[in-house]
């Protein structure tokens, strides 16, 4: 059974701090990795895609991928109260015929 | 480019009734996936369609069904509604290959 796990929340950080969200996956041959943000009562919104080992930065967000360790993380710098949401890690297997697998999500609360 | 469109946004049905939800994917996207999300729960995969064929199916009873049309629009149907079917139903589309899922705003179904 292919699985995606995320660090249990809720995670609380003060405004301006770095929030670190972690995700591990079981399928070693997974190829594509995504982070989604979901506000309460809303649908998930794609914030980052990462396909290669290393870091990928987009504004205040940095995604880090380590395929050897089967680990992907999301760092949010200078956290703002508007970042308070649930963050979902998603993994797409190697073949297009396998479904995207979502982790359970980590709830982040940024305290002003 | 227009995003994923789901209709209706809200539905209230009675136990035992059936319901049909509609999803129009992003233009050019041929894959459509459906998810169920209940309060405090993660995304539960229902099924995925690609070029009018069901490519993947989640662990839901046969009361849940779907289809995809030649223009990639998709519908899902739930028959003999139960109280536990109350949820946010999300549709997501993607292009081929390593592309991520893009979600619609969802249909919130309430069964009374």
């Amino acid at each position: 059974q292919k699985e995606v796990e995320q660090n249990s929340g809720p995670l609380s950080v003060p405004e301006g701090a770095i929030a670190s969200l972690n995700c591990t996956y079981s399928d070693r041959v997974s190829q594509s990795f995504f982070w989604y943000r979901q506000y309460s009562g809303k649908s998930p919104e794609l914030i980052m895609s990462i396909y290669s080992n290393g870091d990928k930065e987009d504004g205040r967000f940095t995604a880090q991928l380590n395929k050897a360790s089967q680990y992907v993380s999301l760092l949010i710098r200078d956290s703002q109260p508007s970042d308070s949401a649930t963050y979902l890690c998603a993994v797409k297997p190697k073949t297009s015929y396998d479904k995207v697998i979502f982790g359970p999500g980590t709830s982040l609360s940024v305290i002003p | 480019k227009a995003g994923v469109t789901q209709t209706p946004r809200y539905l209230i049905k009675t136990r035992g009734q059936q319901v049909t939800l509609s999803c129009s994917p992003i233009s050019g996207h041929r894959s459509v996936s459906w998810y169920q999300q209940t309060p405090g729960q993660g995304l539960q995969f229902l099924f995925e369609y690609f070029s009018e064929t069901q490519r993947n199916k989640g662990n839901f009873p046969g009361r849940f069904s779907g289809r995809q049309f030649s223009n990639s629009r998709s519908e899902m149907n739930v028959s003999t509604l139960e109280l536990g079917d109350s949820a946010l139903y999300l549709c997501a589309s993607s292009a081929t290959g390593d592309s991520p899922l893009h979600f619609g705003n969802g249909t919130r179904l309430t069964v009374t």
Side-chain angles (χ1 to χ4, degrees):
Chain A
Q1 174 99 6
K2 298 173 184 175
E3 293 182 344
V4 176
E5 297 182 353
Q6 297 184 238
N7 49 333
S8 58
L11 176 66
S12 291
V13 299
E15 184 175 354
I18 296 175
S20 178
L21 304 163
N22 303 318
C23 172
T24 59
Y25 58 95
S26 62
D27 187 3
R28 181 170 291 277
V29 298
S30 295
Q31 295 282 55
S32 311
F33 307 85
F34 312 103
W35 283 99
Y36 290 83
R37 176 176 61 198
Q38 186 175 25
Y39 292 113
S40 180
K42 303 295 185 182
S43 63
E45 171 194 11
L46 178 70
I47 53 173
M48 291 285 284
S49 303
I50 187 166
Y51 304 96
S52 305
N53 280 328
D55 295 358
K56 179 181 179 183
E57 188 174 317
D58 184 359
R60 296 185 295 111
F61 298 97
T62 299
Q64 300 174 317
L65 175 60
N66 184 326
K67 289 187 178 181
S69 299
Q70 296 174 237
Y71 173 91
V72 58
S73 66
L74 180 70
L75 299 178
I76 307 175
R77 291 184 301 281
D78 188 24
S79 296
Q80 301 297 308
S82 59
D83 295 325
S84 298
T86 296
Y87 289 81
L88 301 168
C89 172
V91 176
K92 194 167 189 179
K94 184 175 183 179
T95 69
S96 296
Y97 301 100
D98 285 325
K99 65 179 188 284
V100 174
I101 303 169
F102 282 84
T106 299
S107 175
L108 171 67
S109 180
V110 180
I111 312 301
Chain B
K1 201 180 230 186
V4 178
T5 303
Q6 289 189 248
T7 57
R9 289 294 308 278
Y10 302 93
L11 265 178
I12 299 175
K13 291 286 187 179
T14 305
R15 270 183 303 175
Q17 288 186 314
Q18 75 162 18
V19 66
T20 299
L21 311 181
S22 180
C23 173
S24 292
I26 292 171
S27 178
H29 286 191
R30 294 164 64 191
S31 171
V32 174
S33 300
W34 289 89
Y35 291 84
Q36 181 198 65
Q37 189 174 43
T38 50
Q41 297 297 311
L43 292 169
Q44 304 296 313
F45 175 76
L46 281 155
F47 25 66
E48 180 199 4
Y49 286 88
F50 181 83
S51 293
E52 302 180 66
T53 301
Q54 187 179 84
R55 192 156 69 174
N56 282 294
K57 189 177 188 304
N59 296 323
F60 278 81
R63 300 185 296 108
F64 292 81
S65 62
R67 58 178 176 169
Q68 186 180 33
F69 302 95
S70 58
N71 62 357
S72 294
R73 190 178 71 85
S74 177
E75 289 182 347
M76 69 162 281
N77 184 77
V78 188
S79 62
T80 318
L81 284 166
E82 300 177 359
L83 294 179
D85 296 333
S86 294
L88 178 66
Y89 289 87
L90 293 161
C91 168
S93 72
S94 68
T96 55
D98 296 333
S99 301
L101 298 177
H102 296 270
F103 286 88
N105 289 327
T107 294
R108 186 165 298 281
L109 171 66
T110 302
V111 182
T112 62

